[in-house]
Amino acid sequence: MAKAPVLTPRADDFPRWYQDLISKAELADNGPVRGTMVIRPYGYGLWERMQQEMDARIKEAGAQNAYFPLFIPQSYLTKEAEHVEGFAPELAVVTHAGGKELEEPVVVRPTSETIVNDYFSKWVQSYRDLPLLINQWANVVRWEMRPRVFLRTTEFLWQEGHTAHATYEDARDYAAHIHEKVYADFMVNVLGIDVVLGRKTPSERFAGAVNTLTLEAMMGDGKALQMGTSHELGQNFAKAFNTRYLSREGREELVWQTSWGSSTRMVGGLIMSHGDDSGLRVPPRLAPVQAVVLAIKGDDAVLAKVREIGDLLKAAGVRVRVDDRTDVPFGRRAVDWELKGVPVRIEVGPRDLENGTAMLARRIPGGKEPVVIDSLVRLLPAVLEEDQALLLTQSRERRESRTSEVSTIGEAVEAAVAGGWARIPWATLGEEGEAELAAHAVTVRCLVAEDGSVPGSDDAPGNVAVVARAY
């Protein structure tokens, strides 16, 4: 009788496979309030590595970390009409506290543009205070109607950047810098996910922005996932909060602003981009554990050797874990590490020890081979880099092979419904066509220029709409 698979096969039921993997790999659980999640240590370890990599890039871009309150006076949100209208259905509002009704309700932050701008208006006095570049790592609450762990949750973790600039050009260029040099660099070179950089259409733009830049990735089932966004806010919030500065010429001017964010949604993207029927596959540059050294049996010599290998790899800069839990069956431990997607397993038993070898199991390409134990420190860095590159190649090849060039709305819908993306001239589609796509649960993920670059305007000649079904 065939053994039941550990996970629902992706081809049978992709959403069920996703939920199975999150549970079996011990990434997260559903929280007690609908739409919330408990992130377990291994899942949080992935997020911590994302934070570390992103935070370094954000600081390299000149931004400093700060923190703003979770509670925002409701009146703040009403100051920017488009912003409050965009977020109204998702707001969680506190009306009672301390056993009394509050004089003014407070909103649990859905995003911090309003409260940040209240303080920017106090901190910015002259051109010498600009640019003001702030980032915060925080949680936010958006009351989600159709929650899914990591992808859409009522409460999630993220970073949100907020900046103020003296000129439109400076703000525009900074938003583009975050888009390309922070987000795309991280997603491509660390997550190993091939993303399309583009601009959102007016109907998909962030509430209160004049332009939204996005990074879209194709998941394993062909749907799109928005991995991060960077917004040009123009002077909309500056006008609402009277954020002005004294220019070099002695004139009072409104600042120009940006905001940008990425969240724990990236963990969901990582799962759906790289996972397979055996579990998660974690890119080596991201992995909290790049290699696990497993003792097959509780032999004293074996245990001593796996600990020695662990120490040598750690000294060589590899993030390593030694699994010497020989009271747990070896097969179960191997499956657990496979589910968690650790890039490399080094398995050592008494027979291996006699031969001076270990079994090297590579999670990303698959397969096992014996290697000389003394060569591990030299071999492993190259193996990890090879496997990192393979994930990116697979991500790119999937997107390219499942993206169709189409000339009609009907063809675009057909491609998306079949589990792929379509590219159609924006001049052919337009806002009317975009509304027609929406009737089939298909959206314009972004606009790109003919050469694949980010267009300078919504209606630039040759703009192409990338359309898909999305999470």
Side-chain angles (χ1 to χ4, degrees):
M1 188 172 170
K3 190 177 179 181
V6 176
L7 303 175
T8 301
R10 291 187 308 159
D12 291 356
D13 188 336
F14 194 86
R16 170 50 56 193
W17 165 83
Y18 177 77
Q19 295 296 338
D20 281 357
L21 196 160
I22 287 172
S23 174
K24 297 286 179 62
E26 300 179 333
L27 301 179
D29 279 326
N30 288 311
V33 174
R34 184 180 181 274
T36 61
M37 62 176 169
V38 174
I39 306 176
R40 300 186 67 175
Y42 190 73
Y44 199 81
L46 294 172
W47 175 240
E48 281 184 311
R49 288 285 304 136
M50 291 180 184
Q51 280 184 301
Q52 290 163 17
E53 292 282 350
M54 290 276 288
D55 199 57
R57 287 165 173 77
I58 288 167
K59 286 171 179 165
E60 183 85 11
Q64 295 179 295
N65 286 336
Y67 185 80
F68 290 84
L70 175 68
F71 296 121
I72 302 172
Q74 192 172 44
S75 59
Y76 280 32
L77 271 79
T78 61
K79 288 187 178 183
E80 213 291 324
E82 190 178 343
H83 189 68
V84 71
E85 184 181 348
F87 278 101
E90 301 176 330
L91 296 180
V93 182
V94 179
T95 58
H96 289 72
K100 297 180 181 178
E101 185 173 352
L102 299 177
E103 288 184 17
E104 179 186 355
V106 296
V107 171
V108 183
R109 70 172 159 237
T111 180
S112 298
E113 276 77 8
T114 57
I115 194 164
V116 166
N117 272 277
D118 184 56
Y119 284 85
F120 275 17
S121 68
K122 299 172 184 175
W123 297 345
V124 174
Q125 304 297 325
S126 89
Y127 69 90
R128 295 183 185 88
D129 300 319
L130 299 173
L132 179 55
L133 313 174
I134 295 292
N135 177 67
Q136 79 164 341
W137 292 93
N139 60 340
V140 292
V141 169
R142 297 179 186 176
W143 214 256
E144 191 60 56
M145 295 298 104
R146 291 178 293 279
R148 187 172 295 180
V149 174
F150 288 122
L151 299 178
R152 288 189 177 277
T153 49
T154 296
E155 179 192 8
F156 55 91
L157 307 179
W158 77 345
Q159 60 71 213
E160 53 176 317
H162 301 274
T163 71
H165 305 260
T167 67
Y168 159 73
E169 290 79 12
D170 195 36
R172 176 201 62 197
D173 292 348
Y174 195 79
H177 180 85
I178 294 293
H179 187 221
E180 182 181 352
K181 301 300 183 184
V182 174
Y183 290 163
D185 180 73
F186 166 71
M187 290 165 193
V188 171
N189 294 315
V190 179
L191 293 187
I193 297 176
D194 186 55
V195 288
V196 171
L197 282 70
R199 65 187 286 142
K200 288 291 191 184
T201 62
S203 68
E204 291 286 328
R205 201 175 280 156
F206 177 73
V210 297
N211 180 33
T212 290
L213 302 172
T214 184
L215 303 102
E216 302 287 331
M218 181 184 280
M219 302 294 99
D221 62 350
K223 286 186 178 179
L225 184 71
Q226 177 181 291
M227 297 285 286
T229 48
S230 182
H231 315 289
E232 296 173 41
L233 300 180
Q235 294 180 312
N236 289 344
F237 288 91
K239 290 172 184 172
F241 287 86
N242 198 30
T243 311
R244 298 174 180 273
Y245 72 99
L246 198 64
S247 72
R248 289 177 186 273
E249 295 73 32
R251 293 192 303 270
E252 272 208 342
E253 307 273 4
L254 290 167
V255 298
W256 298 83
Q257 292 182 268
T258 77
S259 68
W260 25 278
S262 61
S263 73
T264 38
R265 169 179 283 204
M266 292 190 294
V267 179
L270 177 78
I271 296 166
M272 294 195 298
S273 287
H274 298 322
D276 62 18
D277 285 348
S278 297
L280 191 56
R281 294 189 303 164
V282 181
R285 292 182 189 169
L286 177 77
V289 181
Q290 295 174 312
V292 60
V293 190
L294 287 95
I296 294 175
K297 291 186 176 177
D299 178 287
D300 287 345
V302 168
L303 292 172
K305 180 56 72 172
V306 297
R307 290 163 187 159
E308 179 190 328
I309 292 170
D311 289 341
L312 288 169
L313 291 176
K314 184 177 181 181
V318 177
R319 293 187 290 277
V320 65
R321 182 84 56 86
V322 171
D323 187 344
D324 53 9
R325 301 169 298 157
T326 51
D327 55 334
V328 178
F330 170 74
R332 177 180 167 185
R333 288 183 287 137
V335 168
D336 283 348
W337 289 115
E338 190 166 61
L339 279 166
K340 287 180 165 64
V342 171
V344 167
R345 295 198 313 275
I346 298 159
E347 301 169 355
V348 182
R351 193 175 304 165
D352 301 301
L353 211 53
E354 288 175 15
N355 298 329
T357 62
M359 194 62 72
L360 181 68
R362 293 169 66 175
R363 178 67 184 88
I364 291 161
K368 285 185 177 188
E369 61 175 332
V371 297
V372 175
I373 288 174
D374 291 344
S375 70
L376 281 169
V377 170
R378 177 178 54 82
L379 280 177
L380 224 54
V383 164
L384 293 172
E385 280 303 296
E386 275 179 31
D387 294 352
Q388 177 80 31
L390 178 60
L391 284 177
L392 180 60
T393 298
Q394 290 175 344
S395 174
R396 181 173 295 126
E397 287 176 349
R398 177 174 63 239
R399 180 178 60 79
E400 290 176 348
S401 67
R402 296 173 73 170
T403 299
S404 307
E405 300 287 340
V406 303
S407 56
T408 69
I409 294 170
E411 290 172 339
V413 170
E414 187 179 345
V417 170
W421 290 11
R423 287 166 43 96
I424 183 171
W426 177 239
T428 300
L429 186 64
E431 291 184 7
E432 286 186 16
E434 188 176 12
E436 194 174 326
L437 290 178
H440 300 276
V442 178
T443 54
V444 177
R445 304 313 306 157
C446 62
L447 301 176
V448 297
E450 280 181 297
D451 64 359
S453 63
V454 180
S457 66
D458 298 334
D459 53 2
N463 275 1
V464 175
V466 177
V467 311
R469 285 189 164 168
Y471 286 99

